Amino acid sequence: MSRSNAHPSEPGAFLKARRTELSPAQAGLPGSSGRRRLKGLRREEVALPASISPDYYTRLEQGRRQASEPVLNALARVLRPDDDERAYLFELSGRDAARPRRRTAQRVQPQLQRLLDDLATTPAVVLGRRTAILAWNPMAAGLFTDFARIPERERNFVRLVFRDPAVRALYPDWGWVAQVSLAQLRMAAARDPKDPRLAELVGELSLQAPDFRRRWGGHHVAAQGGGTKVLDRPVVGRLTLDRSFLTRTDDPDQQLITLTAEPGTPSHDRLRVLASWAARSADRSVAGRQGSHGRVYGAVDSSDR
């Protein structure tokens, strides 16, 4: 089949065939064990994980629209064709079936991890691509959550903001925090639109977090910047903290984020109380952390493997 003689409806027919052949369980959809009258996936169950609208996907199946290469890549990740089927889909659509480039896994240098650990009264984390949490210190774990208990692949700030009730409860202005974090994720998408892990993250949150799904369509963007963060931590009460960013020159996608309080303020005193509590908590779970990620030098963003 050459690109010149494929009928406009043939790519859509192939998409429909793959959709009806793929079960919800194979697609990793939540709550997919119950009985369904429909064979395969619904159109919206393909469209949302691929970060496109159900209406747009319907037009693709009906042959009324042609898919771009990024959209085809996203659909291929959702529908999971084998190599031959993927090449066939791209051939029908008149696109090149080049695979997305493999991205180098991000590592946190031992020197940076030591710096984190030495910040005894300052919460600090290192964020990587698509807001992955690469490293942290005991103060950050005490302020936000015990990151070591979260599976490595799921350590992501945007995921925590939208899906972790305890983290969500920290923010009295959660709506603003959610909007800013989502806008930063969209900036990451603009920098690297073919990132498959980002597409997976957006697809997961679109299906499992209604707040994310509603807000993602707003197309707001924002770069990381300083500012003030207000958090309600049950251990110490309300904290008003100043946020600062430092970017690694050898890896601009890694940022060290610190949270500090102005000396003499109640928040400054409460950080000291939190530091004492976090140190005791770290001592009780140090063995678990050494066997996990947060205290290990050279930590890896496993989502790039």
Side-chain angles (χ1 to χ4, degrees), residues 160-293:
L160 290 176
V161 166
F162 280 93
R163 297 203 59 199
D164 190 312
V167 172
R168 180 170 182 153
L170 291 174
Y171 297 104
D173 57 347
W174 179 87
W176 171 250
V177 173
Q179 192 65 40
V180 170
S181 62
L182 188 148
Q184 292 163 354
L185 192 66
R186 191 171 284 284
M187 282 290 292
R191 288 193 297 269
D192 194 358
K194 296 184 180 181
D195 182 355
R197 298 302 186 194
L198 179 59
E200 290 177 11
L201 176 63
V202 171
E204 171 204 326
L205 294 177
S206 295
L207 283 173
Q208 301 180 3
D211 285 325
F212 179 92
R213 183 167 60 249
R214 286 192 296 269
R215 294 169 183 270
W216 183 250
H219 293 276
H220 300 293
V221 296
Q224 291 274 26
T228 300
K229 220 179 239 306
V230 179
L231 300 98
D232 285 330
R233 189 64 175 88
V235 175
V236 296
R238 177 157 295 192
L239 295 162
T240 301
L241 305 176
D242 295 318
R243 182 177 55 180
S244 299
F245 292 85
L246 294 174
T247 301
R248 277 183 53 175
T249 56
D250 59 334
D251 185 355
D253 288 329
Q254 281 193 43
Q255 290 187 318
L256 169 64
I257 303 172
T258 60
L259 296 166
T260 60
E262 184 178 351
T265 63
S267 293
H268 187 264
D269 297 335
R270 290 167 185 164
L271 272 185
R272 267 57 187 169
V273 176
L274 182 64
S276 177
W277 179 86
R280 292 195 301 270
S281 298
D283 289 340
R284 289 194 296 266
S285 60
V286 63
R289 284 202 179 89
Q290 288 174 340
S292 181
H293 170 84

Side-chain angles (χ1 to χ4, degrees), residues 19-20 22-34 36 38-55 57-58 61 74-75 77-80 203-204 206-207 213:
R19 174 171 64 84
T20 56
L22 193 65
S23 70
Q26 290 173 321
L29 296 179
S32 57
S33 58
R36 291 161 49 120
L38 177 72
K39 181 183 177 182
L41 302 180
R42 300 182 180 91
R43 283 171 174 166
E44 60 268 21
E45 291 172 335
V46 176
L48 292 176
S51 301
I52 61 177
S53 71
D55 178 67
Y57 178 77
T58 297
E61 277 200 0
L75 290 173
R77 286 190 293 270
V78 177
L79 295 172
R80 305 184 183 189
E204 171 204 326
S206 295
L207 283 173
R213 183 167 60 249

